[in-house]
Structures are given as structure tokens and as C-alpha cells.
């Protein structure tokens, strides 16, 4: 691999190669915005918003500045009181739980299934108290949490469901007869257009989705300084916008999203076929009812040699990542909310077992072969 040209080098996410493939479309869309100089809330934002509504089959998409803001304004829209409890996963990116704390709500972290790495509905149920108001299922690495069970619990206990759909845009959930896109099943769905996400901008971006007209109206007001009419403010909101250049780029990429996700699935199938017979690793397990669009391709290394494998791959010029090395109930930032002795054995175990391999839309067969051969040789030694 040492002698490979820079453009052939294996990347964790190859944004440059993807841009090269779509360059003429993207450049034209950007030029359009620059020539109009309509940089904030220009027509490109409206166009992208309505195309995404159509793609997701959801009544409302409210664009905002990033996925973290989307989660924050979603919670702000629900009229919660300080101390209200929000149940979510301990095995996720910090943003999911950070916004709960920022709003003076109480994060209640529960364990995940070791195979799908998503919320265990029975654990959610055990954590429900009279103060519980919201559940945030995280659709981790590109596949859904058990939405059927979670929606059932939410209905039974009168809870809101805010889906963290930052890693799963485009994945469907349900039966053949009734399939919905993840992020449109709960009361509000939140996504991120961070460059490395499945639908990535050339900077930050995010959005909330909802089928509820009142919630949509509230979220629109909240992202715009709590204002419906310019210079009149009903509540304290935030300033969170998707800018027109990002919207124009995203609108081009949205047309390719299904193709992007198919390319990721093809790469995952390649990896699965090579790794499924290695005893020391577990390949991704797909949640019943969910599609998997492989935001990450994450193996579990079962023999305690995950860190050896990570170093071995680095030496072969293969980037890999550990998502996530520390579950959130162990993070210092949350120590005020989480009991010291809280044990979530699956999340703790996963943080020592997981390793994510290069996964993007531009992986060549040659690269997949090189990566999987290296992983295999790791277990021969
Ligand atoms: C990326 C991500 C976020 C936050 O998105 P930003 O756009 O980076 O703010 C939140 N939750 C999960 C699970 C994510 O992967």
C-alpha cells in the first residue's frame, strides 16, 4: 500500500473521490447559489426541504445548522420541565445525551443489545418513572433500533419518541406492506448532514422531521430565535439555519442517496462474506424489520485482541476507528446525573470490542480485497 498514489490510498471515508465523481453537478449547483447570492434561506433551502420531505414521505422537514441542534430544538419543542427524564442509549455519540443535560433535563442511560447495539426495549421499560417524558432511540451505524417495541411502550406510557436518525438517513423500517423511513416513525426525527454522514454536506447541516403540524410549527419558530414574525419573539429560541450553499449541495446528493446506500451495502456484503467464518469476530447483525445502510461497518472482536487488530491495520495503511471507546455513563461530563456505580455491561463490553472498517461510496474491489485480506491475516498470526 506504501507505493500507492494518494488518490488510491484507503480512507475511512473518501469524500474527495465522491466529489470528483459528482463534480460537474455539484459545481453547477454551487455556482447557482453564488450567482444569486441568496446565501441565507434562499430558494435552494426550500427546494431541498421539499425534495427531502418527498423522499422521506414525511409532512415536514425543518432544516437547521447541525444534528446536535436538531436534537436540541426537538427537545425544546416538547414543552418539558427541568428535571423531566429522557431515556436513551449509553452507546452513542455524545450529542444525543449532551442536549438533554444542556436543557436541564435528566438523562437516563440504559443498556443496548450486544448484537444490534441499539436500545433494549425491556431496559427502557424498566427505566420508566412518572417523570419520564421522552425516549430517544439511536439508530446506530445505519440501522434502526427496535422501533416497533419502542413505539408500543411510548403509546402505553404516554411518552414522546425523538429518533436520533443522524446515522441512518434513507434506511427503511417495517414490513413489506408498511415500510417507513427511519426518522419519520416517532414524534420527531433528527438528522445530521455532517460531511461523513450518509447524506453529507460540505460543512455542517441538520434537520428535524415530523408529521405533526403543531410540532413542525414550533420547531420552525425555535430555530428562528423563537420568532414567527420578524422582530417579534414568542419564546427564547436559537439561531440554527442550513445555509443555501449546503442546501444546494445536499439537493444534488439527495438524488444519489439510494445509490450511495447501495454502494455501502455492497461493500458490507463483501466484508460479511469474508469475515463470517472467523470465530474471533462477529459481523454486524441486522435488527428485525430494519434496513441497514452501513453508516459504519462495525465488527466486534471477541478474543480481547481488538486493540492489536487496530494497530496491525494501521501498519498496513488501513485506517480504522473505534466508535465508541467509552460509553456515555462513564463520561465525566455526565457524572452529576449518573450514579457512580451504574453498570451497563453490554455498552461497556462493546466499547472494548468494536472496530469500524473503512466504509464509503467509493471503495473499489481491490481496496476491499486488500482490507479484508489484512483482517484475515490478523487472525492467522
Ligand atoms: C453525527 C451525530 C450527531 C450530531 O450531529 P452533528 O451534525 O455533528 O451535530 C448526533 N447523534 C449521532 C448518533 C451522530 O452520529
Amino acid at each position: 500500500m506504501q507505493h500507492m498514489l494518494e488518490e488510491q490510498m484507503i480512507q475511512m471515508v473518501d469524500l474527495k473521490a465522491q466529489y470528483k465523481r459528482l463534480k460537474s453537478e455539484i459545481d453547477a449547483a454551487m455556482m447557482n447559489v453564488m450567482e444569486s447570492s441568496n446565501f441565507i434561506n434562499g430558494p435552494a433551502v426550500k427546494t431541498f426541504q421539499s425534495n427531502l420531505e418527498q423522499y422521506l414521505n414525511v409532512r415536514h422537514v425543518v432544516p437547521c445548522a447541525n444534528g446536535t441542534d436538531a436534537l436540541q430544538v426537538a427537545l425544546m419543542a416538547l414543552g418539558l420541565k427541568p428535571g423531566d427524564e429522557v431515556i436513551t442509549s449509553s452507546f452513542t455519540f455524545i450529542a444525543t445525551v449532551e442536549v438533554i443535560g444542556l436543557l436541564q433535563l435528566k438523562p437516563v442511560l440504559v443498556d443496548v443489545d450486544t448484537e444490534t447495539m441499539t436500545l433494549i426495549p425491556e431496559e427502557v421499560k424498566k427505566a420508566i418513572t412518572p417523570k419520564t417524558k421522552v425516549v430517544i432511540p439511536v439508530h446506530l451505524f445505519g440501522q434502526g433500533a427496535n422501533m416497533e417495541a419502542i413505539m408500543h411502550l411510548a403509546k402505553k406510557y404516554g411518552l414522546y419518541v425523538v429518533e436520533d436518525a443522524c446515522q441512518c438517513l434513507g434506511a427503511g423500517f417495517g414490513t413489506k406492506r408498511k415500510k417507513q423511513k427511519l426518522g419519520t416513525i416517532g414524534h420527531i426525527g433528527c438528522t445530521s448532514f455532517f460531511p461523513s454522514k450518509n447524506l453529507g454536506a460540505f460543512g455542517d447541516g441538520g434537520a428535524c422531521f415530523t408529521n405533526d403540524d403543531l410540532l413542525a410549527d414550533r420547531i420552525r419558530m425555535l430555530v428562528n430565535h423563537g420568532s414567527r414574525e420578524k422582530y417579534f419573539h414568542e419564546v427564547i429560541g436559537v439561531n440554527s439555519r442550513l445555509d443555501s450553499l449546503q442546501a444546494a449541495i445536499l439537493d444534488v446528493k439527495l438524488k444519489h442517496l439510494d445509490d450511495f446506500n447501495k454502494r455501502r451495502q455492497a461493500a458490507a456484503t463483501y466484508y460479511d462474506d469474508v469475515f463470517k467464518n472467523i470465530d474471533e469476530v462477529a459481523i454486524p447483525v441486522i435488527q428485525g424489520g430494519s434496513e441497514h445502510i452501513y453508516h459504519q461497518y462495525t465488527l466486534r472482536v471477541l478474543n480481547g485482541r481488538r486493540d492489536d487488530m487496530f494497530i496491525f491495520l494501521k501498519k498496513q495503511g488501513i485506517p480504522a476507528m473505534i466508535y465508541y471507546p467509552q460509553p456515555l455513563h462513564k463520561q465525566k461530563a455526565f457524572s452529576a446525573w449518573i450514579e457512580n456505580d451504574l453498570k451497563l455491561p453490554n455498552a461497556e463490553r462493546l466499547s472494548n470490542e468494536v472496530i469500524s472498517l473503512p466504509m464509503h461510496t467509493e471503495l473499489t474491489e481491490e481496496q476491499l480485497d486488500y482490507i479484508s485480506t489484512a483482517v484475515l491475516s490478523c487472525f492467522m498470526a
Side-chain angles (χ1 to χ4, degrees):
M1 206 46 48
Q2 269 22 342
H3 60 268
M4 275 196 161
L5 298 172
E6 195 210 336
E7 51 262 43
Q8 292 170 322
M9 290 271 286
I10 297 173
Q11 312 282 333
M12 196 63 199
V13 179
D14 200 337
L15 298 175
K16 207 184 265 185
Q18 192 191 61
Y19 170 58
K20 278 194 178 152
R21 191 157 59 80
L22 305 176
K23 183 171 171 24
S24 58
E25 276 180 89
I26 292 176
D27 288 3
M30 290 178 77
M31 282 308 285
N32 251 338
V33 175
M34 290 189 280
E35 271 157 21
S36 78
S37 293
N38 231 323
F39 296 119
I40 299 291
N41 287 332
V45 179
K46 271 267 157 344
T47 305
F48 170 62
Q49 175 192 320
S50 79
N51 286 336
L52 186 57
E53 283 164 354
Q54 220 160 53
Y55 174 83
L56 294 170
N57 192 22
V58 70
R59 283 177 66 80
H60 305 280
V61 165
V62 183
C64 66
N66 56 65
T68 309
D69 277 7
L71 288 159
Q72 179 176 332
V73 294
L75 291 177
M76 287 170 79
L78 298 177
L80 307 172
K81 297 184 306 299
D84 282 350
E85 294 176 5
V86 181
I87 298 174
T88 193
S89 162
S90 187
F91 194 66
T92 173
F93 181 56
I94 180 106
T96 321
V97 180
E98 194 175 36
V99 296
I100 302 171
L102 271 175
L103 296 173
Q104 305 297 321
L105 305 166
K106 181 177 182 218
V108 176
L109 301 180
V110 304
D111 215 350
V112 292
D113 181 77
T114 46
E115 293 196 322
T116 66
M117 307 184 198
T118 59
L119 278 180
I120 302 172
E122 292 75 37
E123 295 298 315
V124 173
K125 185 174 175 187
K126 277 196 247 164
I128 295 172
T129 74
K131 286 193 157 177
T132 307
K133 295 286 152 39
V134 187
V135 183
I136 308 182
V138 180
H139 304 314
L140 201 71
F141 300 152
Q143 70 165 329
N146 185 345
M147 283 306 285
E148 211 178 311
I150 289 167
M151 291 310 290
H152 181 78
L153 278 177
K155 208 172 233 168
K156 186 164 169 195
Y157 293 94
L159 311 176
Y160 286 112
V161 175
V162 173
E163 294 173 75
D164 184 336
C166 289
Q167 300 189 358
C168 68
L169 200 66
F173 190 95
T175 57
K176 250 206 186 102
R177 208 156 38 81
K178 191 186 181 206
K179 190 166 279 182
Q180 289 166 284
K181 294 286 190 202
L182 286 168
T184 69
I185 302 168
H187 299 86
I188 306 174
C190 303
T191 206
S192 164
F193 305 121
F194 186 80
S196 64
K197 303 283 158 118
N198 288 41
L199 180 61
F202 286 6
D204 280 307
C208 290
F209 320 135
T210 182
N211 284 305
D212 183 316
D213 297 347
L214 290 175
L215 284 176
D217 181 57
R218 225 176 135 71
I219 294 168
R220 259 182 223 115
M221 174 177 76
L222 284 165
V223 295
N224 183 33
H225 298 287
S227 163
R228 283 194 177 87
E229 190 186 340
K230 213 172 166 86
Y231 305 119
F232 294 87
H233 305 270
E234 298 175 34
V235 291
I236 292 178
V238 295
N239 170 25
S240 189
R241 294 183 285 244
L242 180 68
D243 60 63
S244 306
L245 268 172
Q246 300 304 343
I249 293 161
L250 288 167
D251 196 48
V252 169
K253 286 195 168 192
L254 178 60
K255 297 182 185 72
H256 298 275
L257 180 58
D258 286 339
D259 172 60
F260 290 165
N261 288 340
K262 283 201 186 95
R263 285 166 180 259
R264 289 171 179 272
Q265 287 165 336
T269 303
Y270 189 105
Y271 283 145
D272 280 352
D273 284 343
V274 182
F275 304 144
K276 68 182 175 211
N277 297 318
I278 313 178
D279 290 338
E280 295 98 326
V281 305
I283 61 173
V285 176
I286 301 182
Q287 176 85 57
S290 184
E291 288 172 354
H292 200 324
I293 50 153
Y294 298 96
H295 173 61
Q296 300 296 342
Y297 182 88
T298 304
L299 290 174
R300 291 168 58 206
V301 182
L302 306 173
N303 61 359
R305 292 186 49 215
R306 192 269 314 271
D307 294 340
D308 293 344
M309 175 170 160
F310 182 83
I311 292 163
F312 180 86
L313 293 178
K314 278 270 142 79
K315 281 192 190 137
Q316 311 284 308
I318 299 170
M321 295 291 277
I322 309 300
Y323 302 119
Y324 296 94
Q326 188 173 48
L328 298 185
H329 66 286
K330 296 282 184 195
Q331 301 282 351
K332 195 171 162 210
F334 301 129
S335 55
W337 284 283
I338 310 292
E339 306 90 84
N340 260 336
D341 56 350
L342 177 65
K343 291 212 168 37
L344 302 175
N346 295 352
E348 288 161 34
R349 180 171 163 191
L350 285 173
S351 63
N352 292 313
E353 290 182 345
V354 289
I355 182 165
S356 297
L357 298 181
M359 173 51 74
H360 54 78
T361 57
E362 314 302 314
L363 281 164
T364 63
E365 187 128 347
E366 192 193 355
Q367 290 176 327
L368 288 165
D369 178 56
Y370 183 82
I371 298 163
S372 35
T373 305
V375 171
L376 278 179
S377 65
C378 208
F379 293 100
M380 307 284 189

